[in-house]
Amino acid sequence: MENTWTTIARLVSRLEEHSTLPREQRILLQLLKIQEEAGEVAEAVIGAMGQNPRKGYSHTWDEVEAEVCDVIVTGMVALARMNADAPGVFARHLERIRRRDLGEAAPIASQ
């Protein structure tokens, strides 16, 4: 199986090759894409709970999970389009969250 960040890099390359917009606009649109995907999560949750009287039970919880995955991938693509060291940026951020929220000390560097 291909490394996650390798797949993200391939998606970024495909998107970059397709667009003729300036870099700043490409990044802005990618960031807006996260919101679009989050809206699809909301729609799927409402559908899975049958809370749209017109549509009823229009989605499954498997579809909700798929939409959440789309949000994650879209966010990873956005980060990679913003910063060539997206894997490092993400790893450092996750480490800060781990220390903050799980109360774990920073790992001891191996000697």
Side-chain angles (χ1 to χ4, degrees):
M1 181 174 179
E2 188 172 55
N3 175 285
T4 300
W5 283 107
T6 300
T7 300
I8 296 301
R10 291 178 62 206
L11 289 168
V12 167
S13 290
R14 182 171 180 245
L15 291 169
E16 292 296 319
E17 290 169 7
H18 175 74
S19 182
T20 59
L21 296 173
R23 181 176 188 274
E24 294 79 17
Q25 289 181 9
R26 293 191 313 264
I27 290 170
L28 177 61
L29 290 172
Q30 186 66 45
L31 294 170
L32 292 174
K33 184 72 176 165
I34 296 168
Q35 183 62 41
E36 178 188 359
E37 294 294 343
E40 292 177 15
V41 171
E43 179 182 11
V45 169
I46 291 166
M49 296 183 73
Q51 293 303 299
N52 182 331
R54 187 172 51 82
K55 295 181 180 179
Y57 287 90
S58 59
H59 291 77
T60 66
W61 286 103
D62 286 343
E63 291 170 316
V64 173
E65 290 174 358
E67 295 297 347
V68 170
C69 289
D70 286 347
V71 172
I72 294 165
V73 169
T74 302
M76 292 175 79
V77 167
L79 182 60
R81 290 181 96 176
M82 294 173 69
N83 190 316
D85 184 30
V89 170
F90 185 76
R92 288 185 296 276
H93 186 76
L94 191 57
E95 177 63 20
R96 284 191 297 274
I97 290 171
R98 184 185 67 78
R99 286 193 310 259
R100 180 192 71 203
D101 295 345
L102 300 177
E104 297 178 10
I108 297 172
S110 59
Q111 297 176 345

